[in-house]
Amino acid sequence: VMDIDVSEKRQTEIDEHLHKAFSADLLDKQANDRYKFAHDQILQSFLGMKSTYAANEDLVLGHVLLSLFRTQPKAKEWALFGALQSLKVCSASLPRESQMALVDDHLLAATKAAKKSAFYEAAEYSMGALKLLMLASSDPWTEHIELCQSIHLMTARYSLACGKHDDCESVLKALLEHTAPNSQEKTDAYLTLACSLRNQSKIPDSIAVLTEALAEMGEKVPTSAGLITKKMSSNETKKKFGKLSDSDILNLPPIKDRHNRNKMRLFSTLFLNMYHEYQKDTMWLVLKRMLILTSEIGVCNDTPLILAAHAYHLTNKGDFTGGSHFGKLATKMTEKLNAKANLPIVTFFLVVF
């Protein structure tokens, strides 16, 4: 029989959880508003926790709800969310094994919350997982490097989605410090950080982050556009990209190397940031570099954007025939690659010119 001494403040919350558990056939109600577990497995788990932590009502309630969620198919998400909320205040005192188990529970809760578009809650749960991992491990960046990277990136993305930019940037900076150069995780961290800065209208800072990321990949982003630099860039673009026919462009192979795909993602994001910051001279140099890379390494989902931006550039120079030509080519490439994610921005550049 379940009989816990609790404060008056907690009684209402516990009664709500007990009512939900009773409605799901997980508890049997006895006389005098007392409850009996309907399943021996949960009962034994509860009794073990109560004998050890009889004075800690949060821990007992959290463990009961977590046991319900883990062992009974009828237990809904409220049991998981309620358990983590109760365990939040006492998780630091738990054994390391229990803390590591709770990391997984927090990640599951974050995923479930995100599926409901509850990104604030998802960010809280993923941040909770991160804090527990730091508590449970003396050196998480060595002992659990992949898990640590994954949780940092998840927390950053959920924090970004709900506007918690300080949390987003703090976990990304930690991730960047502990991630190998040119790795997928580092590229994703740079892109997420650039997005967070852009969303705060800190576009110059966003451009600086992307420039740093490309520098790690051996790409020097121009900070100014002198006459000689423009001339050299134009000549190289004509020599490599300009000689390609429509058929050649449409039949370029897809980029298979992850390093080069990440490079194109960074360049296209940088180009858009420069466009919004009205850095037109350096923006066109970045575009020409992307055209050259396209001729050398192939196409990816960012290629339609590159072609649409090239159409926009030609039109700005007064070449309306060339602009129209590459605009149509951008549309064909979008269809061929099924790059639906980039369709809005491709359409934007085509409508603008």
Side-chain angles (χ1 to χ4, degrees), residues 73-94:
K74 288 186 178 181
K76 302 297 182 181
E77 292 167 356
W78 59 262
L80 175 62
F81 297 150
L84 299 184
Q85 184 63 34
S86 294
L87 292 171
K88 183 177 181 180
V89 297
C90 52
S91 56
S93 62
L94 294 173

Side-chain angles (χ1 to χ4, degrees), residues 30 32 59-60 66 74 83 164 190 198-199 288 312 318 342:
Q30 308 294 302
N32 300 321
L59 185 61
V60 173
L66 204 55
K74 288 186 178 181
K164 299 176 69 175
Y190 273 126
R198 186 190 65 208
N199 287 358
K288 289 173 182 177
Y312 174 70
N342 275 340

Side-chain angles (χ1 to χ4, degrees), residues 213-270:
L214 285 163
E216 285 192 4
M217 294 185 165
E219 292 285 345
K220 185 177 179 180
V221 177
T223 55
S224 61
L227 186 60
I228 295 177
T229 303
K230 289 181 181 179
K231 187 69 174 177
M232 291 176 62
S233 178
S234 296
N235 289 339
E236 188 178 5
T237 305
K238 290 177 182 177
K239 182 180 178 181
K240 294 186 176 181
F241 183 80
K243 67 180 183 180
L244 299 178
S245 66
D246 289 2
S247 178
D248 292 334
I249 295 171
L250 289 171
N251 289 295
L252 285 169
I255 301 174
K256 295 181 180 180
D257 178 63
R258 185 177 66 181
H259 174 80
N260 284 325
R261 284 201 307 270
N262 287 338
K263 187 183 294 186
M264 295 301 276
R265 287 176 65 200
L266 289 165
F267 261 127
S268 61
T269 306
L270 175 63

Side-chain angles (χ1 to χ4, degrees), residues 17 35 44 121 187 195 205 211 236 256 259 278 344:
H17 287 309
Y35 293 85
Q44 294 302 320
E121 289 75 12
T187 298
C195 184
D205 292 337
T211 300
E236 188 178 5
K256 295 181 180 180
H259 174 80
Y278 303 107

Side-chain angles (χ1 to χ4, degrees), residues 61-78:
L61 176 61
H63 188 76
V64 169
L65 293 172
L66 204 55
S67 296
L68 291 173
F69 180 78
R70 287 175 175 171
T71 61
Q72 303 305 322
K74 288 186 178 181
K76 302 297 182 181
E77 292 167 356
W78 59 262

Side-chain angles (χ1 to χ4, degrees), residues 1-250:
V1 174
M2 186 175 185
D3 188 11
I4 313 173
D5 294 327
V6 297
S7 64
E8 182 178 350
K9 181 179 179 181
R10 296 283 286 151
Q11 185 63 53
T12 301
E13 181 182 350
I14 292 175
D15 287 344
E16 290 176 357
H17 287 309
L18 290 175
H19 178 70
K20 290 178 180 178
F22 174 70
S23 300
D25 297 329
L26 302 174
L27 296 174
D28 293 330
K29 193 170 185 179
Q30 308 294 302
N32 300 321
D33 290 329
R34 303 180 75 189
Y35 293 85
K36 181 178 181 182
F37 287 101
H39 307 278
D40 292 339
Q41 185 178 2
I42 300 175
L43 173 61
Q44 294 302 320
S45 177
F46 167 74
L47 290 176
M49 286 298 294
K50 187 180 178 184
S51 62
T52 306
Y53 301 101
N56 195 327
E57 64 200 42
D58 290 298
L59 185 61
V60 173
L61 176 61
H63 188 76
V64 169
L65 293 172
L66 204 55
S67 296
L68 291 173
F69 180 78
R70 287 175 175 171
T71 61
Q72 303 305 322
K74 288 186 178 181
K76 302 297 182 181
E77 292 167 356
W78 59 262
L80 175 62
F81 297 150
L84 299 184
Q85 184 63 34
S86 294
L87 292 171
K88 183 177 181 180
V89 297
C90 52
S91 56
S93 62
L94 294 173
R96 287 190 174 184
E97 295 78 9
S98 299
Q99 289 173 340
M100 285 302 299
L102 280 175
V103 169
D104 292 334
D105 292 321
H106 275 78
L107 293 178
L108 178 60
T111 302
K112 288 181 176 295
K115 286 181 178 179
K116 298 177 181 294
S117 297
F119 293 111
Y120 184 90
E121 289 75 12
E124 288 289 305
Y125 288 128
S126 59
M127 182 64 82
L130 187 56
K131 291 178 179 178
L132 282 165
L133 181 60
M134 296 301 172
L135 284 172
S137 175
S138 57
D139 187 6
W141 289 108
T142 300
E143 297 173 356
H144 308 283
I145 178 65
E146 292 184 1
L147 178 61
C148 206
Q149 289 175 338
S150 175
I151 297 176
H152 273 78
L153 197 55
M154 174 188 286
T155 304
R157 286 172 171 168
Y158 290 154
S159 297
L160 174 62
C162 66
K164 299 176 69 175
H165 295 293
D166 289 344
D167 286 349
C168 176
E169 292 172 25
S170 66
V171 296
L172 285 175
K173 288 175 181 177
L175 177 58
L176 288 169
E177 289 176 6
H178 294 88
T179 307
N182 299 330
S183 64
Q184 184 64 52
E185 292 78 13
K186 195 151 199 176
T187 298
D188 290 339
Y190 273 126
L191 287 167
T192 307
L193 179 56
C195 184
S196 176
L197 292 168
R198 186 190 65 208
N199 287 358
Q200 299 174 74
S201 299
K202 299 178 181 178
I203 299 181
D205 292 337
S206 180
I207 290 174
V209 165
L210 295 166
T211 300
E212 179 185 339
L214 285 163
E216 285 192 4
M217 294 185 165
E219 292 285 345
K220 185 177 179 180
V221 177
T223 55
S224 61
L227 186 60
I228 295 177
T229 303
K230 289 181 181 179
K231 187 69 174 177
M232 291 176 62
S233 178
S234 296
N235 289 339
E236 188 178 5
T237 305
K238 290 177 182 177
K239 182 180 178 181
K240 294 186 176 181
F241 183 80
K243 67 180 183 180
L244 299 178
S245 66
D246 289 2
S247 178
D248 292 334
I249 295 171
L250 289 171

